[in-house]
Amino acid sequence: MTLRDLWLLVRHYAKWVVVVPLLCGLLAGGFMFVKESSRGESYTAAATLTVTDPSGILNTANLMNLASAVAQNVVSAGGDAGMTSKADATTQSIEFTATGANADEAVRTVNSVAQESADAIQAALMQQSEVYWDSVSETSSSALDAGEPFGAGASSADRVAALRSCVFTVSQATGATGSGSSNVVKYAVVGLLGGLFAIGCVLVLIDAVRRPLKTKENVGECTAVPVLAGGVTLQDGERLWANVQFASEELVGSVGVVPVSAIDTQQLCEALKMAMQAQWPQVHVVALGGNDLAAAMRAGESAGAVLKCAPLADGMAAAYGARAAQATVVVVRTWKDSQITLRDTLQELQLAGGNVAGIVLVD
């Protein structure tokens, strides 16, 4: 399928392309709204703690591992199931989130835990600095082994100064968001995109199975019979009559109009009749049912006749009419008739010995 075919599908089924995704979005969002409403609204607040070493001596990964462990202990000690912490070594920060039934409560809780974690981490680093300070001796100015957890390659005095100079910045939460409303929007968007994808797949599948005739190009894909006209107006009738004469090697006095499927071709036959009157003043339209075999043969043999045939699915009168008429046109409905049904109709008429001059595309 080409992009042009896809665009034709979207344009033709525009109503479904709009309605189905919107319906899916409403259903998904409504489901989440009912689910959230049944368990009550909840609010989530977030605060961030950033730990930095201005000296650049301390190992960042080890510093964040210690800070994350202390923060987790603080969160666990609080016993609040709606409280979480997540460390990010890249930004040297820890994000705290608190969820509660009240927005103000969630903000107070997350800010309190973030500040408590900052104090606890600072206390842990100060304790670590005291351990290093006690180890200072006459050889303390020598470089440490690479296996040291903090500041490999630095002296004990440098490490003590670095541990004590760490900066703790708490970005406190100023408000909380309702998780219910955010989930409703998220699920609605997911439903909308999912519905759009689903309707796209269904339309592509239908197009691949049915292979409807959408344009003249689709007709050319399945047969070499030309498209003579594209409507049922008087101008289309004149164009059809002219093209029928151009396509025929002899003077045409009778034309059979055979639809591929059930469709009223009266307007097209009248337009063709008006165009033929300049050459055949006595021209008239003969309506033939599916089983009017004898009438089809008689009408086709008379000059100045337009045979309004029923489709072959209703009977073989169209085949007899096409055999008797001097020229035959096949009427195809865009988006309703398929390439398969058009080929079958053309084969049947050609087998009957009809002179199929061309095809008329109608909406």
Side-chain angles (χ1 to χ4, degrees), residues 6-37:
L6 183 60
W7 166 245
L8 290 174
L9 277 175
V10 172
R11 189 175 64 177
H12 183 72
Y13 295 105
K15 179 176 67 176
W16 294 108
V17 172
V18 173
V19 171
V20 171
L22 286 178
L23 184 60
C24 291
L26 289 174
L27 289 176
F31 170 78
M32 182 52 57
F33 176 78
V34 172
K35 182 178 179 181
E36 293 290 344
S37 299

Side-chain angles (χ1 to χ4, degrees), residues 210-268:
R210 292 187 54 208
R211 300 183 66 187
L213 294 163
K214 302 183 281 290
T215 62
K216 292 174 60 176
E217 288 74 14
N218 295 135
V219 174
E221 292 173 2
C222 63
T223 179
V225 178
V227 175
L228 303 182
V232 295
T233 64
L234 291 178
Q235 291 79 5
D236 293 314
E238 293 175 357
R239 181 180 298 106
L240 175 60
W241 174 235
N243 286 332
V244 167
Q245 295 180 91
F246 297 154
S248 302
E249 297 179 356
E250 57 184 21
L251 181 65
V252 177
S254 58
V255 180
V257 179
V258 181
V260 170
S261 58
I263 181 177
D264 186 6
T265 58
Q266 183 64 38
Q267 188 175 353
L268 175 64

Side-chain angles (χ1 to χ4, degrees), residues 147-229:
E148 289 291 334
F150 289 100
S155 67
S156 293
D158 293 335
R159 288 183 301 159
V160 169
L163 290 169
R164 292 180 177 179
S165 65
C166 286
V167 178
F168 302 87
T169 305
V170 178
S171 298
Q172 295 188 338
T174 57
T177 59
S179 60
S181 59
S182 63
N183 283 336
V184 169
V185 174
K186 180 175 68 176
Y187 273 76
V189 171
V190 171
L192 182 70
L193 296 178
L196 185 61
F197 177 77
I199 190 63
C201 291
V202 170
L203 292 181
V204 170
L205 179 61
I206 291 176
D207 184 73
V209 173
R210 292 187 54 208
R211 300 183 66 187
L213 294 163
K214 302 183 281 290
T215 62
K216 292 174 60 176
E217 288 74 14
N218 295 135
V219 174
E221 292 173 2
C222 63
T223 179
V225 178
V227 175
L228 303 182

Side-chain angles (χ1 to χ4, degrees), residues 294-321:
M297 288 185 288
R298 290 194 303 270
E301 293 172 353
S302 63
V306 177
L307 280 63
K308 178 178 175 291
C309 302
L312 287 170
D314 294 348
M316 292 301 295
Y320 282 92

